[in-house]
Amino acid sequence: MAILENIRKRTTVLILIIGLALFAFVISGVFSSNDLGGGKVGSSVAEINGDEISIDQFRRDVEAYSRMAGPTASSMQLVNQVWDRQVRNTILAQQFEELGINIEQDQIINYIKTIPSYVQNPEFHNASGVFDENKFREAVADWKANNPSRYALWLQDEQAIIQNAKEQTYFNLIKAGVGSTLKEGELDYKLANDKVDIKYVRVPFSSIPDSSIAVTKKEIEAYINDHKKDYKQDRSRDVEFVYFEEKPSLEDENAVKEEINQLMEDRVEYNAQKDANDTIKGFRNTTDMIAFLDRNSDIKYDTIYKAKKDLPAKFADTLMTLEKGSMFGTYRDGDYFKVSKMMDRKANGTVKSSHILISYAGAQRANPEVTRTKEEAEAKAKELLAEAKRAGTVFAELARDNSDGPSAPQGGDLGYNQEGVMVAPFNDFTFSNPVGAIGLVETDFGFHIVKIDDKQDIVRIATLAREIEPSEETINTLFTEATKFEMETISDKDFAVAAKESNFVVRPVNKIKEMDENLPGLSAQRAIVQWAFNDDTKLGEVKRFNINNGYAVVRLTAKYAEGLMSVEDASALVLPKIRKEKKAAQIIEANNGKSMEDFAKDNNVIASTASALTMKSPIIPGAGSEAFVVGTAFAMEQGATSGLIKGDSGVYMLTVTKKEEAAKLDNYSTYANNLQASAAGRVNFAVYNALKESSTIEDKRATFY
């Protein structure tokens, strides 16, 4: 078992999603407006408003996404991305079909003209360097005949272009119906600019302890039924787990240190071929560092000279101070124990410099907007050189204001560079002059006013490193502990009690969704989620899972069905709201008919003031957002005093001390236009969400993934 576990630990298995075939595109001709959905072959992964989504096509889409996303995206991330796109496309396609929205060839070309990757591609340009739709059509026809892979990529783009063009048409039709009247503009102006000042007394709900408010189960149930929309829940699960992490023990760490210590000094070994003892040089004395580290180190010898910033940050200062031939270590750097030896040093081997580039027409990589001649550029560079050398001049500001180079926003800062990295004239100046020197250098890019900001040594360091890994004995012990704990809890021993007896930490994870993948504390563990949602998995059931760095013993603690939340599940959300209602009623009942002074005195609070309140931003300083209270103030006459008002944070009584109407405008078109633009900007998001909410979506992904 130990050997098997060791192999399991050291083998990385990359699970790739294998599609049934290469993407089979069914689009005839160069342009097509056929439906985007794949053929409904085999089982369906979803049913959206009666339309089935083929699992075969869905898998091909996932495969295509995986090729674009690369190795960083997990399989479930890809599945969920494809799902979101498929649901959106299907719902909108149903709308397109119902409304008869189609895209013609001219519309596709017009849409392509808005895509920079096509418009700026020289392959589609005419002799004048302008995008030519005929050139584009010829190119697509050529791909179809001679370059099938490129044509397949175009067909993918074509599908996306058709979909995007249809969406643009659909949402533009809706936006055309979005408008705002001048009266609405006037109202918006008044909501933002009418002002009211108040004097108020607030008795906060927090003045009554929660423990004094009794709430029954029936009251919670009634509240849920009265607010069903707010207390819907998806199918979900709760689990708890103990994580047995596969990590090195203290003994393992000490063993690695001992291995490094043994490699430090020379040792004598018997050579059977020579029938004599050989002296094997250690890290301290070896004359062939490359070969030594190849044989004995988990990190090979890097012969490149490095600046301080390229060394491990925690030890860089110490490493940079080493003399040639001296060593530092053993030290721990991440998952390695290391010993480092200074092999060589180059004094001032890296230079930090700044420059101001003055380019000219015809210079290498010159901006097309630069029209000055070479002579004009040289004259300007000499003027700037004199200014740069003047006392009190801030070089970075001069560079920001005058440089034609991409480093201008950074004040001309080019960072640290080793010898040979920059073009020859620039390199020669920076390495031949002291820190602080400013000079003029000419290159193919133009004229440079160069300032040498700093110089640092670079070093070549050899490092003997050994990774700190759990030993076979540690892995076996961990497996035994995890298995023992699993067996104890399967045989009806309480999970928490068993964990406590062994000093294990129990970690809960609540409301896991059926298509979740990542579990806090365990990262990607799709197998655990699938087990939790398996109909055969019973409440309280325990199972051990092998994970990347050890084991997790998991217990299923709760199941939640889709629909309305139960009283138990919703109580934590509902209780504060019912308590607030009861506290408000209690405060109002105890203080009805009182004056503002008595209301404040009897509740041990003081009156406060708030000025320049508006309906658009109903924030009362010290109390927060109180839209109903501020709205009530605007409905009152100046000088009037309100009754008791239930707000969001307490019960109020207020007096309107001043009301100020905003100055009337001759025209409110600006405000009406802003309202219309704001509403139009929300159309795409709001309309799709409304369509999705009203759709009937049967999600079958969990059957396949």
Side-chain angles (χ1 to χ4, degrees):
M1 178 60 73
I3 294 172
L4 290 175
E5 289 300 320
N6 217 17
I7 292 172
R8 177 188 62 74
K9 179 181 184 302
R10 288 167 172 76
T11 303
T12 302
V13 181
L14 301 177
I15 303 176
L16 303 176
I17 301 172
I18 308 300
L20 297 178
L22 293 175
F23 228 164
F25 299 100
V26 188
I27 299 182
S28 58
V30 175
F31 299 107
S32 171
S33 58
N34 291 346
D35 290 341
L36 299 179
K40 297 174 178 62
V41 179
S43 302
S44 65
V45 71
E47 189 173 313
I48 303 173
N49 296 326
D51 286 351
E52 290 189 346
I53 308 300
S54 163
I55 183 58
D56 303 310
Q57 181 62 52
F58 190 85
R59 282 170 173 158
R60 287 194 288 271
D61 288 349
V62 171
E63 183 187 353
Y65 259 62
S66 70
R67 290 196 294 269
M68 291 185 289
T72 56
S74 72
S75 59
M76 287 310 300
Q77 286 175 327
L78 295 169
V79 167
N80 293 333
Q81 288 172 8
V82 172
W83 169 260
D84 291 339
R85 189 196 68 166
Q86 186 67 69
V87 170
R88 177 185 174 87
N89 287 355
T90 302
I91 290 173
L92 291 176
Q94 291 167 346
Q95 291 290 303
F96 302 156
E97 184 176 355
E98 185 177 339
L99 296 172
I101 294 175
N102 286 305
I103 301 300
E104 303 298 331
Q105 291 188 18
D106 290 344
Q107 290 173 283
I108 297 176
I109 286 293
N110 289 336
Y111 191 86
I112 288 172
K113 288 178 180 178
T114 68
I115 304 174
S117 60
Y118 283 101
V119 175
Q120 297 173 8
N121 190 336
E123 188 176 3
F124 312 133
H125 289 178
N126 57 23
S128 302
V130 178
F131 177 83
D132 187 326
E133 64 181 77
N134 292 322
K135 286 273 188 183
F136 174 72
R137 292 175 188 272
E138 290 170 5
V140 174
D142 181 65
W143 300 339
K144 185 176 182 180
N146 303 309
N147 194 339
S149 60
R150 180 73 183 274
Y151 183 63
L153 291 174
W154 155 247
L155 291 178
Q156 292 181 61
D157 280 355
E158 183 189 40
Q159 287 190 352
I161 288 167
I162 291 170
Q163 178 71 12
N164 291 337
K166 285 184 177 182
E167 286 187 21
Q168 188 180 76
T169 301
Y170 174 71
F171 288 124
N172 283 344
L173 288 172
I174 297 173
K175 289 175 185 177
V178 174
S180 294
T181 64
L182 291 176
K183 203 65 181 175
E184 289 172 320
E186 181 181 0
L187 175 61
D188 186 60
Y189 169 74
K190 289 176 69 64
L191 290 175
N193 294 282
D194 283 357
K195 295 180 174 61
V196 65
D197 297 353
I198 63 171
K199 178 183 178 182
Y200 69 94
V201 172
R202 178 179 69 114
V203 177
F205 294 133
S206 59
S207 64
I208 301 176
D210 287 349
S211 58
S212 68
I213 304 297
V215 180
T216 66
K217 184 175 180 179
K218 283 189 176 181
E219 287 176 317
I220 296 174
E221 187 174 7
Y223 190 94
I224 295 169
N225 287 326
D226 290 341
H227 303 83
K228 289 182 178 179
K229 188 176 180 181
D230 297 330
Y231 297 99
K232 289 181 179 178
Q233 67 179 9
D234 295 326
R235 193 167 175 242
S236 61
R237 299 287 186 267
D238 289 351
V239 300
E240 59 184 5
F241 68 90
V242 172
Y243 177 32
F244 295 84
E245 185 179 5
E246 204 171 77
K247 60 183 180 181
S249 64
L250 181 60
E251 291 76 13
D252 296 335
E253 293 183 12
N254 290 334
V256 174
K257 284 184 182 178
E258 182 58 30
E259 288 176 7
I260 288 182
N261 289 336
Q262 291 178 3
L263 290 168
M264 292 295 296
E265 308 300 337
D266 299 350
R267 65 186 187 277
V268 176
E269 290 184 359
Y270 174 71
N271 188 324
Q273 291 181 336
K274 296 180 180 178
D275 191 23
N277 289 332
D278 285 342
T279 299
I280 309 299
K281 291 187 180 295
F283 182 66
R284 190 184 304 277
N285 299 319
T286 183
T287 56
D288 188 350
M289 187 62 74
I290 293 177
F292 181 88
L293 293 182
D294 277 347
R295 288 194 306 270
N296 299 296
S297 177
D298 290 332
I299 297 177
K300 305 311 175 188
Y301 184 28
D302 187 351
T303 58
I304 296 173
Y305 284 85
K306 293 183 178 180
K308 180 180 176 180
K309 67 180 179 63
D310 300 318
L311 301 176
K314 188 176 179 180
F315 306 100
D317 287 334
T318 301
L319 292 171
M320 288 299 295
T321 60
L322 293 176
E323 297 294 331
K324 186 174 180 179
S326 61
M327 298 191 298
F328 169 65
T330 304
Y331 63 95
R332 180 163 185 167
D333 183 19
D335 293 330
Y336 293 85
F337 279 125
K338 297 179 176 180
V339 178
S340 293
K341 182 177 182 179
M342 178 65 71
M343 303 299 290
D344 195 18
R345 177 189 298 272
K346 286 184 180 179
N348 298 328
T350 181
V351 177
K352 184 178 187 292
S353 59
S354 305
H355 80 139
I356 304 169
L357 171 63
I358 305 302
S359 188
Y360 54 85
Q364 191 170 336
R365 297 183 193 171
N367 190 314
E369 296 178 2
V370 175
T371 57
R372 69 174 70 91
T373 64
K374 183 175 181 180
E375 292 73 19
E376 290 170 337
E378 184 176 10
K380 182 176 180 180
K382 288 178 178 178
E383 290 176 10
L384 289 170
L385 175 65
E387 187 173 352
K389 289 183 174 182
R390 193 174 299 131
T393 298
V394 179
F395 192 89
E397 293 179 1
L398 200 65
R400 273 193 291 269
D401 295 339
N402 295 279
S403 181
D404 295 326
S407 64
Q410 290 79 46
D413 186 4
L414 296 173
Y416 286 93
N417 291 283
Q418 293 189 30
E419 192 163 6
V421 172
M422 310 297 276
V423 293
F426 203 107
N427 180 85
D428 294 345
F429 178 84
T430 55
F431 281 92
S432 301
N433 290 282
V435 173
I438 300 175
L440 184 63
V441 173
E442 181 184 353
T443 72
D444 292 339
F445 300 97
F447 295 92
H448 308 256
I449 298 92
V450 183
K451 180 174 180 288
I452 302 174
D453 300 311
D454 189 28
K455 292 190 176 187
Q456 289 185 359
D457 293 355
I458 54 175
V459 294
R460 190 168 67 194
I461 292 178
T463 297
L464 170 62
R466 281 293 178 94
E467 187 174 3
I468 308 165
E469 296 180 297
S471 63
E472 187 175 313
E473 181 180 353
T474 299
I475 293 171
N476 286 340
T477 301
L478 187 75
F479 175 76
T480 301
E481 288 179 349
T483 304
K484 180 183 176 183
F485 180 72
E486 178 192 20
M487 299 309 296
E488 286 178 346
T489 52
I490 285 176
S491 59
D492 296 331
K493 189 169 186 179
D494 184 85
F495 198 84
V497 171
K500 187 175 182 180
E501 288 176 354
S502 300
N503 293 321
F504 298 148
V505 177
V506 177
R507 307 182 194 182
V509 183
N510 297 328
K511 297 297 177 70
I512 301 168
K513 300 293 192 302
E514 194 166 14
M515 291 307 296
D516 282 351
E517 179 182 28
N518 293 321
L519 300 182
L522 293 178
S523 67
Q525 296 301 330
R526 182 65 187 154
I528 295 176
V529 177
Q530 290 174 319
W531 168 80
F533 278 91
N534 191 316
D535 292 336
D536 295 333
T537 305
K538 297 178 176 59
L539 273 178
E541 190 169 329
V542 175
K543 184 174 180 179
R544 173 176 55 84
F545 291 86
N546 292 3
I547 59 180
N548 290 338
N549 294 302
Y551 309 92
V553 178
V554 187
R555 177 174 173 263
L556 179 63
T557 56
K559 293 184 177 185
Y560 303 94
E562 184 178 4
L564 196 63
M565 297 174 72
S566 68
V567 172
E568 292 76 15
D569 297 337
S571 61
L573 301 172
V574 173
L575 271 173
K577 297 180 179 180
I578 297 178
R579 286 194 186 114
K580 185 187 286 189
E581 297 284 349
K582 290 195 168 191
K583 288 179 182 182
Q586 185 174 314
I587 295 169
I588 291 171
E589 183 179 356
N591 294 280
N592 255 333
K594 292 181 180 179
S595 66
M596 185 180 290
E597 290 74 18
D598 290 339
F599 181 49
K601 181 181 177 182
D602 294 348
N603 290 278
N604 198 29
V605 294
I606 60 173
S608 302
T609 60
S611 58
L613 301 176
T614 69
M615 288 284 284
K616 199 155 192 178
S617 182
I619 308 295
I620 299 178
S625 180
E626 290 286 5
F628 185 74
V629 176
V630 174
T632 301
F634 272 98
M636 295 165 58
E637 297 294 331
Q638 184 169 316
T641 300
S642 73
L644 297 173
I645 307 167
K646 182 173 77 74
D648 286 336
S649 62
V651 174
Y652 292 76
M653 184 181 288
L654 61 87
T655 297
V656 176
T657 57
K658 181 182 177 182
K659 292 185 77 173
E660 181 183 347
E661 286 193 19
K664 293 186 181 296
L665 303 180
D666 293 334
N667 190 294
Y668 296 94
S669 59
T670 299
Y671 290 88
N673 291 339
N674 288 342
L675 281 176
Q676 182 172 338
S678 177
R682 296 191 301 270
V683 162
N684 293 30
F685 179 79
V687 168
Y688 170 68
N689 281 346
L691 290 171
K692 184 179 178 183
E693 190 173 336
S694 63
S695 295
T696 302
I697 302 174
E698 186 180 354
D699 184 354
K700 305 176 187 177
R701 282 178 294 167
T703 306
F704 303 97
Y705 296 97

